[in-house]
Amino acid sequence: MIEGRPSDTALQVAASRAAHLRFDPAPHLLDDIHAADLLGPEALALVDGYANDGPWLLVENRLFIPLRARYVEDRLRDAHLRGIRQFIILGAGLDSFIFRQPEDLTELRVFEIDHPSTQIWKRARIEDLGWTLPENGCYVPCDFEKERVSEVLEETDFDPNQPAIVSWMGVVYYLEKPTVDAALRDLASILASGSEVVFDAMRPWDELPERYEKVRSVMAQYLSGAGEPHINRYRREEIIDAIRMAGYSEALVEEREDVERRYLTPLKTEIPLSHRFRLVVARVG
Ligand SMILES: C[S@@+](CC[C@H](N)C(=O)[O-])C[C@H]1O[C@@H](n2cnc3c(N)ncnc32)[C@H](O)[C@@H]1O
């Protein structure tokens, strides 16, 4: 992160969600109709980079990024049926759930937690748009490298006696592994039984098809220029161990084929599911 500037990757992933609506035919994985507005006039140009004739890596992201948001929102919907009413979005970036929350997810409380640099920018953007944060939402600033989520949540009406769904999408690989471990432990210490932490983790290079190796240095250059290098990758067993060691009762790592069948097959798209990421759930027993 570069202090005083919004996360560049947060703008990019919002652009990929806007691009999914612009370039992919319906049905869509996620109707993020707010992403383009949130990006604003300057960053909106990023959406063009995700067109069919753009770099294949971005075209893949155009599906995976909305997919991971949809995945967590599907888990939230299931959790709501079980009575869960708290939703924490860690490293929220330009996440727009709060503005498009389905009416049937009643009594939901939403906590948007993010690095202050990104959150300040987003709040200013929302003000420029003339939007108002719905009453069931609140913003909580937090730098995961310096502060604990449990501490910042103490300043809010988060109820640790009630379970919550935690979305931690697109963040883990920007943190040192000890920070990830500490954050998982910290969350486990405040989340009531029935809670879930839902996130994506990057797979090691040697598990990826060769085509990724060819774009490795271009990607690394962009990410370090943005001040957001990818600094960790996990094998399946490693992430399961990290979750268990942090005190969770269960670790679920989705199989790529299952994700593909559930989310991409209905789209009848030619675009492959990205190999780079794993969808992971840490459950509190
Ligand atoms: C790729 S964006 C993901 C945004 C959002 N979760 C999504 O999927 O659209 C990465 C997010 O992680 C946040 N982030 C990165 N490092 C952080 C840190 N040390 N503390 C808090 N947030 C951080 C950034 O502010 C940014 O919002």
Side-chain angles (χ1 to χ4, degrees), residues 45-247:
L46 294 174
V47 179
D48 297 336
Y50 292 80
N52 287 329
D53 59 358
W56 61 264
L57 193 78
L58 298 191
V59 175
E60 267 187 16
N61 279 1
R62 191 176 93 199
L63 287 191
F64 180 74
I65 304 299
L67 186 158
R68 75 180 181 195
R70 163 75 178 281
Y71 177 75
V72 77
E73 290 178 25
D74 283 352
R75 295 203 81 88
L76 175 67
R77 177 165 286 283
D78 290 350
H80 190 269
L81 291 173
R82 301 196 301 273
I84 294 182
R85 297 291 183 266
Q86 301 190 101
F87 185 36
I88 301 173
I89 310 174
L90 289 184
L94 274 58
D95 189 293
S96 66
F97 173 83
I98 190 75
F99 296 108
R100 53 181 174 75
Q101 50 185 322
E103 274 176 21
D104 57 332
L105 295 191
T106 51
E107 301 164 11
L108 196 63
R109 189 83 181 102
V110 183
F111 304 86
E112 272 206 18
I113 304 185
D114 207 348
H115 193 285
S117 298
T118 307
Q119 199 168 70
I120 288 167
W121 184 92
K122 182 183 189 181
R123 292 183 70 164
R125 191 66 212 116
I126 286 167
E127 213 175 296
D128 285 351
L129 286 163
W131 297 356
T132 321
L133 187 74
E135 273 178 14
N136 65 332
C138 70
Y139 298 114
V140 190
C142 179
D143 181 344
F144 304 139
E145 300 283 4
K146 296 183 186 152
E147 294 160 290
R148 284 190 302 194
V149 171
S150 58
E151 280 169 357
V152 297
L153 277 175
E154 271 174 24
E155 308 296 314
T156 71
D157 61 353
F158 173 74
D159 184 352
N161 297 312
Q162 297 298 324
I165 295 298
V166 181
S167 167
W168 202 16
M169 288 297 181
V171 186
V172 161
Y173 27 88
Y174 300 107
L175 308 174
E176 298 289 350
K177 275 189 179 173
T179 307
V180 176
D181 292 341
L184 281 171
R185 275 198 307 274
D186 180 46
L187 288 167
S189 76
I190 51 156
L191 291 173
S193 175
S195 299
E196 289 182 350
V197 183
V198 188
F199 61 101
D200 60 336
M202 286 235 175
R203 297 173 61 194
W205 287 103
D206 62 9
E207 290 186 3
L208 304 183
E210 212 184 321
R211 68 177 191 274
Y212 290 91
E213 190 60 41
K214 296 194 178 120
V215 291
R216 183 170 172 173
S217 66
V218 180
M219 243 197 303
Q221 236 174 337
Y222 156 68
L223 290 164
S224 68
E228 297 174 70
H230 289 163
I231 54 180
N232 74 54
R233 286 167 186 271
Y234 288 89
R235 299 195 187 279
R236 171 181 281 270
E237 284 314 315
E238 254 185 297
I239 195 68
I240 292 174
D241 283 352
I243 289 170
R244 294 220 175 107
M245 294 289 287

